[in-house]
Amino acid sequence: MISSVPVKQLNKAIVIQKDFFKADLLNMGYFKTPDGRQLYELSLRDLEYIYQREKTKLRYDE
């Protein structure tokens, strides 16, 4: 059975995930997208995509 999750709880989870990606990207030295947007302007989807791309780059650079 699928249960409903309160909107506030979902929003909090999204904020926590975005904060995680932003903090890790900043630690990697990533501050802006090529089009000039800052991390706080990005959606969760964008942050996750960039995070995965940057993590892959780090693995291949080692």
Side-chain angles (χ1 to χ4, degrees), residues 2 5 8 11-13 16 21-22 24 31-32 34-37 40-42 45 47 50 55 62:
I2 298 175
V5 178
K8 282 185 179 184
N11 286 336
K12 185 175 180 179
I16 290 168
F21 289 130
K22 287 186 283 187
D24 252 19
F31 301 100
K32 285 187 177 182
D35 64 359
R37 291 182 296 160
Y40 70 87
E41 299 176 89
L42 302 175
R45 179 181 288 169
L47 286 167
I50 293 167
K55 282 293 235 192
E62 293 177 346

Side-chain angles (χ1 to χ4, degrees), residues 23-57:
D24 252 19
L25 285 166
L26 289 170
N27 285 335
M28 290 182 226
Y30 192 96
F31 301 100
K32 285 187 177 182
T33 62
D35 64 359
R37 291 182 296 160
Q38 301 217 5
L39 297 179
Y40 70 87
E41 299 176 89
L42 302 175
S43 68
L44 177 58
R45 179 181 288 169
D46 290 339
L47 286 167
E48 186 172 11
Y49 174 79
I50 293 167
Y51 175 80
Q52 293 299 332
R53 190 183 68 214
E54 293 301 308
K55 282 293 235 192
T56 301
K57 281 183 189 178

